Amino acid sequence: MKIGIVGGGFMGLVLAHQISKTKATVKVFESDSQLGGLATHHDYGTFIWDKFYHVILPTDNYLIDLIKDLGLEDDLNWRRSMTGYYVNKKFYSISSSKEFLLFPPLNIFDKMKLAYTIFYGSRINDRKKLEGISVKDWLVKIGGRRTYEKFWSPLLKAKLGDNHDRVSAIFIWTYIKRLFQARSSAAQKEHMGFVSGGYKTVFDRLEKLLLEKGSSVSTNATIQSINTNPKGGIDLKVGNTIEHFDKVIFTAPLNVLEKVSSPDLFNVSKKDRTVEYLGVVCMVLVTKQSMTPYYVLNIADKEVPFTGVIGMSSLADLEQTKGSHITYFPKYITSDHEYWSKSEEELENLFLNGFKSMYPDFDMKTVESVHIHKAFKVQPLQVLNYSDIIPKIKTAHPDFFVLNTSQFVNDTLNNNSVVNHVEDFMKEFKKELALHLETV
Ligand SMILES: Cc1cc2nc3c(=O)[nH]c(=O)nc-3n(C[C@H](O)[C@H](O)[C@H](O)COP(=O)(O)OP(=O)(O)OC[C@H]3O[C@@H](n4cnc5c(N)ncnc54)[C@H](O)[C@@H]3O)c2cc1C
């Protein structure tokens, strides 16, 4: 049985890996010249590392099990990490529960309300109630207006820009659950992980295992159209050729699905609204000098053109990056944001000026290289009643499935959720494969 997968990002390759353990063979189509999608790698000159930053949390159980399954357990490294907050031109560490509760911009009552919001949020299991209430209304209701204005609002504006009041409480609930669980309960200190060689190591191993199983991967292969075949199965058009598959699973973003397949092929409850994605513009600095002790520095300052500083080298050992420090400066934006019309040079100048305003004493002579990376469709915006507008996994056609990150209703965008999503899908899909093999 032949299965076609559209998209060679993490979702597509993990899916291909799981299917290749059955009797079916898989072919993955990736439009880019290299595998990995948003988690792909970049050549920084003296070393290769992720194009965008990635970290693994101790609670990422599905992802950690996959890494072990791929035989990469020895490449998984854990380090102590720190989180900071930049507000009123000052840096604060909020890396331990104690530091978090000492956070000076908040008074003792605000802190108690903040601690209560986090405690309350981390114990909620029924997401449905949170889908219908805006993040602002929920945070004000649980933690009070002052804590919202002083702590959450700058953080939300930093993460979501002008859209911060459009998302539901799900956004902050998933954020609280994921980030605050990263603190080990014993030490109340954060630990985070990375794979030696970055995500390239994971993708190289996934590809190798697929090829060993007789499956295949095709890069520079953009799927132009997806059509049902009257005799059963699905046809994929790539360049001038049409390839036939018994079943096809689509893993790329939804705007691509709308472009390459007919509307009757996917199944959404409410078709009058579509899923909007935030994109990301990210400056990457490679420097000789260390830049930040924090893995994540949240920025609550409207004057700074990026919304966080991600000190990858505060986590990954310098031998990973041949002695250089790598730091990311991301800004999440909607598809109509003015940054998309700026040239790389303009973005570089804008971001470097923001950087200099935060770190006036940093010796710019130690900058080895500057990179501007962009991705247009990254984070689906979890607006009110979001689950009504996402496509269902099973479509109107029995041989066509949609499996992508827009379907995360209980989680933020992260690779642990990707593995979890694939595993849930496989439980049902394996039954379909078995049925198909019985009937052919
Ligand atoms: C800035 C940033 C930071 C992140 N940090 C973390 C982190 O710390 N931890 C974590 O776990 N996750 C993190 N993530 C999220 C992680 O990168 C995603 O969970 C993951 O990459 C999603 O993979 P995907 O395959 O679902 O989507 P994508 O990576 O978007 O893959 C879709 C693929 O489909 C391909 N495609 C599109 N159209 C076609 C077509 N017509 N034909 C063939 N192929 C097509 C695309 O080229 C792409 O490769 C981060 C992401 C970003 C952008």
Side-chain angles (χ1 to χ4, degrees):
M1 180 173 195
K2 269 179 71 187
I3 312 287
I5 295 181
V6 182
F10 196 54
M11 184 85 78
L13 284 210
V14 172
L15 181 61
H17 173 67
Q18 301 298 8
I19 296 176
S20 72
K21 290 179 181 172
T22 69
K23 286 182 184 155
T25 53
V26 188
K27 182 161 183 182
V28 179
F29 295 90
E30 167 54 46
S31 57
D32 203 359
S33 58
Q34 62 189 40
L35 293 173
L38 295 172
T40 200
H41 61 273
H42 181 76
D43 187 346
Y44 290 94
T46 49
F47 62 92
I48 287 178
W49 197 258
D50 298 4
K51 186 174 177 184
F52 299 107
Y53 47 92
H54 286 86
V55 76
I56 300 168
L57 302 186
T59 44
D60 285 347
N61 295 326
Y62 296 100
L63 179 58
I64 295 168
D65 284 350
L66 174 86
I67 290 169
K68 290 180 186 163
D69 177 40
L70 297 176
L72 295 174
E73 194 170 0
D74 292 344
D75 291 294
L76 181 56
N77 312 282
W78 295 104
R79 301 285 180 270
R80 170 87 211 275
S81 63
M82 286 171 65
T83 299
Y85 201 104
Y86 179 78
V87 58
N88 302 332
K89 311 255 175 265
K90 288 201 178 97
F91 295 85
Y92 299 98
S93 177
I94 49 170
S95 311
S96 64
S97 300
K98 193 174 151 206
E99 281 176 347
F100 195 68
L101 290 173
L102 285 173
F103 186 54
L106 299 178
N107 68 31
I108 185 72
F109 299 107
D110 300 333
K111 280 168 198 158
M112 281 164 66
K113 286 180 176 166
L114 185 58
Y116 175 70
T117 308
I118 291 166
F119 174 79
Y120 183 84
S122 65
R123 279 182 165 51
I124 293 177
N125 286 321
D126 178 11
R127 67 165 179 88
K128 202 63 198 156
K129 278 191 203 147
L130 300 179
E131 249 201 18
I133 175 164
S134 82
V135 67
K136 179 178 178 184
D137 290 349
W138 187 75
L139 285 169
V140 169
K141 192 172 130 202
I142 308 296
R145 187 163 294 278
R146 244 183 78 88
T147 318
Y148 176 78
E149 301 293 350
K150 293 227 151 201
F151 187 82
W152 293 115
S153 169
L155 203 67
L156 286 169
K157 282 183 190 152
K159 296 249 169 279
L160 299 165
D162 298 339
N163 294 285
H164 67 280
D165 48 5
R166 287 183 57 214
V167 298
S168 77
I170 293 274
F171 179 84
I172 207 73
W173 171 63
T174 53
Y175 181 82
I176 288 174
K177 272 206 316 177
R178 182 167 164 80
L179 275 185
F180 293 92
Q181 277 172 5
R183 287 171 190 178
S184 70
S185 51
Q188 287 295 302
K189 287 183 179 143
E190 291 178 349
H191 282 88
M192 293 187 181
F194 65 95
V195 173
S196 301
Y199 259 88
K200 184 174 187 306
T201 306
V202 177
F203 284 106
D204 286 351
R205 182 59 60 91
L206 280 165
E207 186 179 11
K208 181 172 175 280
L209 292 175
L210 278 176
L211 300 184
E212 279 171 12
K213 293 264 184 187
S215 291
S216 58
V217 169
S218 203
T219 48
N220 293 313
T222 301
I223 296 300
Q224 285 147 351
S225 67
I226 303 174
N227 294 300
T228 57
N229 188 306
K231 290 183 188 151
I234 301 287
D235 292 337
L236 294 180
K237 182 161 188 263
V238 201
N240 290 328
T241 51
I242 291 183
E243 292 197 40
H244 178 75
F245 292 91
D246 297 302
K247 290 182 189 291
V248 164
I249 306 151
F250 179 93
T251 71
L254 288 178
N255 63 312
V256 180
L257 181 64
E258 283 158 12
K259 209 166 95 191
V260 299
S261 81
S262 59
D264 54 319
L265 254 187
F266 49 98
N267 195 356
V268 185
S269 309
K270 291 205 173 141
K271 293 203 177 188
D272 54 329
R273 294 190 295 156
T274 52
V275 173
E276 289 169 63
Y277 284 79
L278 291 180
V280 74
V281 172
C282 186
M283 177 174 77
V284 189
L285 285 189
V286 179
T287 55
K288 285 198 196 82
Q289 191 187 330
S290 162
M291 191 167 289
T292 169
Y294 306 111
Y295 175 71
V296 179
L297 176 74
N298 296 296
I299 299 174
D301 183 332
K302 275 192 255 148
E303 303 302 312
V304 179
F306 40 85
T307 51
V309 178
I310 314 295
M312 195 70 227
S313 297
S314 71
L315 190 74
D317 312 324
L318 285 186
E319 66 188 39
Q320 296 290 329
T321 46
K322 298 280 186 325
S324 298
H325 295 257
I326 182 165
T327 312
Y328 298 76
F329 302 80
K331 167 96 177 172
Y332 280 86
I333 49 177
T334 42
S335 55
D336 56 356
H337 197 278
E338 48 157 351
Y339 280 11
W340 297 118
S341 59
K342 291 195 186 298
S343 67
E344 289 216 351
E345 202 186 343
E346 286 172 323
L347 286 170
E348 192 176 307
N349 286 337
L350 183 73
F351 276 48
L352 279 176
N353 285 340
F355 165 75
K356 286 178 200 160
S357 73
M358 283 178 72
Y359 300 92
D361 299 330
F362 190 83
D363 181 1
M364 293 306 284
K365 285 195 222 81
T366 74
V367 175
E368 294 176 314
S369 57
V370 186
H371 311 255
I372 297 289
H373 293 159
K374 299 176 194 169
F376 201 51
K377 300 281 173 186
V378 178
Q379 164 89 56
L381 254 192
Q382 289 174 325
V383 291
L384 293 181
N385 301 315
Y386 176 72
S387 57
D388 289 344
I389 59 169
I390 57 168
K392 303 210 172 24
I393 294 174
K394 281 193 169 192
T395 68
H397 193 283
D399 297 326
F400 184 62
F401 302 83
V402 175
L403 198 74
N404 72 10
T405 55
S406 74
Q407 293 159 337
F408 295 175
V409 288
N410 280 335
D411 223 332
T412 53
L413 174 77
N414 66 75
N415 285 338
N416 188 55
S417 312
V418 169
V419 182
N420 185 8
H421 200 51
V422 169
E423 288 185 6
D424 280 351
F425 170 75
M426 283 305 291
K427 285 179 200 148
E428 289 302 310
F429 193 62
K430 271 186 195 159
K431 290 181 203 158
E432 300 224 6
L433 290 180
L435 265 179
H436 185 93
L437 289 170
E438 272 169 26
T439 49
V440 284

